[in-house]
Amino acid sequence: MSNVRRLFSIIMIIAMIGALLLSGCGSKNTKQTTSSGEKNKSSQGASQETKNTNTSEVTEVTFWHSDWGVNYMNHLKATLVDTFNKTHKNVQVKLVIMPNGDGVTGFDKKITAAIAGGSPPDVLYIDRFAVGEWAAKGLIEDISDLVKRDGINADDYYKACWDETIFNGKQYAMPYITDARGLFYNKTLFKKAGLDPSSPPKTIDELDQMAEKLTVKDANGNYTQLGYVPWWDQSGGSIYDIGFRFGGKFIDDKGNLTPNDPNLVKALEWAVGYAKKYGYDKVNQMPGQLKLTRDAFSSGRLAMMYNGNFAIPSLVDPKNKVSFEWDTAPFPTVPGVDSASWGGGFSMAIPKGAKHRDAAWEFIKWATGKEGQMSVLKNFDANGNQLSAMPSVNEAYVNNWDPRYQVFVKELLPKNHYRPVTPVGQTLWNLLWDAKEKAYQGKGDPKALLDDVKKKIDAELAKPIYER
């Protein structure tokens, strides 16, 4: 956090020096960099750069994307960048693949340094989860004026995807790809246990009852099969994984973070109940005792799991030799709760100080619009089986995919929840992660642990580095 704070201070100092120089020299040739409010006011007027796109001049837009592997990057270049360049003669996009060896944090540091040094790219590909934090720190542009000017319709996107790009009432990015999370269940094990394989659990009570029937021990009392394990969920049994199925809320109507919401406490107490009933350590010993070479579900030793649509490719890959019948369904919830799914995904944004704001927007608008999305998802496998943030695109292609994607596209994505848009999103994630780990291991009471998260996150938000 200290490094980010120092870089943020550098950015602010550079901005102040630049402002003083502009006011002192009054150069007519200096392009004015407007604030968020000024951009909204000037949306009706075309910039000089926009005028250039109507002439023979060509504007080169630099697009930074972290390295997702050679196959995916080749696909992205061919279906997104090259296709755009062929159809937009006045704006040409240059894809710059950023090394990903130092992880997301390293990518963030490179971008922050580039902005501080006055040489940012024109377009960034960033996790939507990071939009609130980057906006609060002044690292990305408010694009509300551009969205309004060009009549972009929020209803063309899944609500969760769109809302996750909004911070303090302003839009800072456009949604690109997304995902959803649901129930994966082993139909073969259901049959063996005397359960109807066409009727997966719909409520938490049904889940608990079926999990018990699907749990098997050997003569020595060691598990050879488990029904369901909360901390083996896609995100390690995070509070996000378990919280939404109990109707938990992470932020209230006033914008206050609520990690100790009563329903989140109930969710964690329920999940901890599994650790107490089946034994946290004893459960975790099963993969090693059985010498599993893949995850427990793929190995046919876990009957039910909570995972995302991105788990399907591995299960259908012939090389993995999954020999049992399986299916997908919405994950069970408590009565009155409509959906347990939450979605992640990525977006496109314009960094502060980008030299070609309007040209960058032309690319973003196309790439995140229907034409760009249809181009990218045409080859679903090459695109990493990622889903579009636009319902119409997924619906156009879903019948060509494995039928187990249907539940994600038609039932889960329209009802997706999302993590709170906040400048302390990563800090909140880390605090919640530590809390659930302690709870599963019996090192604290769920309510007390989540109360502590609330205290710590409020203290973090009180620091002056955050824009409120």
Side-chain angles (χ1 to χ4, degrees):
M1 183 61 70
S2 60
N3 290 332
V4 175
R5 193 178 296 120
R6 282 196 293 271
L7 287 170
F8 180 67
S9 299
I10 291 171
I11 294 170
M12 298 309 297
I13 291 169
I14 291 171
M16 289 190 292
I17 292 172
L20 289 171
L21 289 173
L22 285 172
S23 61
C25 64
S27 172
K28 295 181 180 179
N29 295 324
T30 302
K31 183 178 178 181
Q32 181 180 1
T33 301
T34 60
S35 67
S36 297
E38 289 169 332
K39 285 169 189 165
N40 288 332
K41 293 177 183 178
S42 64
S43 62
Q44 69 275 13
S47 68
Q48 184 61 44
E49 181 190 325
T50 302
K51 294 177 184 177
N52 287 345
T53 63
N54 295 322
T55 70
S56 60
E57 296 181 31
V58 177
T59 301
E60 183 178 84
V61 167
T62 304
F63 173 33
W64 276 17
H65 193 300
S66 55
D67 191 352
W68 284 17
V70 63
N71 291 337
Y72 177 80
M73 299 315 299
N74 286 340
H75 164 74
L76 184 78
K77 184 177 184 301
T79 60
L80 197 72
V81 175
D82 291 349
T83 302
F84 175 87
N85 288 341
K86 289 175 184 177
T87 56
H88 295 75
K89 62 181 180 179
N90 294 324
V91 178
Q92 293 291 287
V93 176
K94 178 183 178 182
L95 174 64
V96 178
I97 302 173
M98 303 299 292
N100 208 27
D102 50 3
V104 175
T105 302
F107 183 57
D108 293 358
K109 289 179 179 178
K110 290 182 178 71
I111 293 169
T112 306
I115 294 171
S119 57
D122 299 298
V123 178
L124 292 175
Y125 188 76
I126 63 171
D127 195 323
R128 280 199 309 278
F129 181 52
V131 168
E133 183 171 351
W134 288 35
K137 293 177 179 178
L139 298 176
I140 51 179
E141 293 269 357
D142 171 13
I143 59 172
S144 304
D145 60 316
L146 301 172
V147 172
K148 182 178 180 180
R149 183 194 71 191
D150 291 350
I152 307 300
N153 189 352
D155 292 339
D156 290 336
Y157 298 81
Y158 295 110
K159 187 177 187 304
C161 297
W162 185 269
D163 288 352
E164 205 172 15
T165 64
I166 309 293
F167 177 69
N168 282 353
K170 299 174 182 178
Q171 188 153 358
Y172 287 89
M174 282 293 294
Y176 180 68
I177 61 170
T178 192
D179 52 42
R181 288 155 179 79
L183 175 70
F184 287 69
Y185 67 103
N186 186 320
K187 298 174 74 172
T188 300
L189 293 183
F190 266 54
K191 292 178 185 176
K192 190 175 180 180
L195 298 171
D196 184 352
S198 65
S199 296
K202 294 180 176 59
T203 67
I204 293 295
D205 284 345
E206 289 177 356
L207 174 71
D208 295 342
Q209 293 165 12
M210 290 185 184
E212 186 170 4
K213 289 183 179 180
L214 289 159
T215 298
V216 179
K217 292 181 180 180
D218 63 17
N220 297 318
N222 296 318
Y223 293 116
T224 59
Q225 177 183 303
L226 289 160
Y228 169 68
V229 180
W231 57 93
W232 286 358
D233 282 346
Q234 185 264 324
S235 294
S238 72
I239 309 300
Y240 294 108
D241 282 350
I242 63 176
F244 291 121
R245 60 191 71 160
F246 277 77
K249 293 183 177 181
F250 293 86
I251 191 167
D252 64 20
D253 294 337
K254 296 180 180 179
N256 299 308
L257 293 174
T258 57
N260 58 346
D261 174 79
N263 288 330
L264 295 179
V265 174
K266 289 179 183 178
L268 186 54
E269 289 173 341
W270 165 78
V272 168
Y274 271 74
K276 293 178 178 178
K277 179 175 181 176
Y278 296 101
Y280 181 78
D281 291 333
K282 191 176 183 64
V283 164
N284 291 337
Q285 289 168 2
M286 187 189 78
Q289 290 171 339
L290 298 179
K291 298 180 180 180
L292 302 183
T293 57
R294 301 196 307 272
D295 69 275
F297 185 82
S298 298
S299 300
R301 299 291 183 166
L302 177 66
M304 298 179 286
M305 71 172 180
Y306 178 77
N307 213 325
N309 52 273
F310 38 78
I312 294 177
S314 176
L315 290 167
V316 299
D317 189 338
K319 291 183 294 186
N320 291 328
K321 298 179 180 179
V322 173
S323 59
F324 55 86
E325 290 184 86
W326 60 277
D327 209 343
T328 55
F331 199 86
T333 64
V334 297
V337 174
D338 198 26
S339 175
S341 177
W342 67 272
F346 285 77
S347 61
M348 292 190 183
I350 302 174
K352 279 286 186 182
K355 296 178 176 62
H356 308 111
R357 183 174 187 258
D358 289 317
W361 169 246
E362 283 303 305
F363 173 61
I364 291 175
K365 179 175 66 173
W366 181 87
T368 61
K370 188 163 185 177
E371 187 176 353
Q373 292 284 282
M374 289 291 289
S375 178
V376 168
L377 264 73
K378 188 175 183 179
N379 188 336
F380 190 53
D381 291 337
N383 195 50
N385 302 90
Q386 298 172 107
L387 300 172
S388 172
M390 303 186 79
S392 61
V393 174
N394 292 327
E395 290 163 4
Y397 286 128
V398 70
N399 289 333
N400 300 329
W401 305 336
D402 185 284
R404 285 160 290 205
Y405 281 100
Q406 294 275 351
V407 68
F408 292 93
V409 171
K410 296 185 177 180
E411 297 185 58
L412 300 180
L413 280 173
K415 301 176 183 178
N416 247 4
H417 299 281
Y418 59 96
R419 293 163 291 183
V421 181
T422 170
V424 292
Q426 189 60 55
T427 301
L428 179 61
W429 175 280
N430 294 341
L431 290 172
L432 287 171
W433 184 274
D434 291 343
K436 65 93 178 175
E437 286 290 291
K438 290 178 181 177
Y440 287 137
Q441 296 170 32
K443 297 179 180 179
D445 170 73
K447 184 178 186 308
L449 289 167
L450 294 181
D451 283 343
D452 187 55
V453 172
K454 170 64 174 173
K455 180 180 178 181
K456 289 177 178 176
I457 204 66
D458 284 349
E460 181 66 23
L461 272 172
K463 294 178 180 178
I465 62 170
Y466 298 110
E467 177 186 310
R468 296 304 301 277

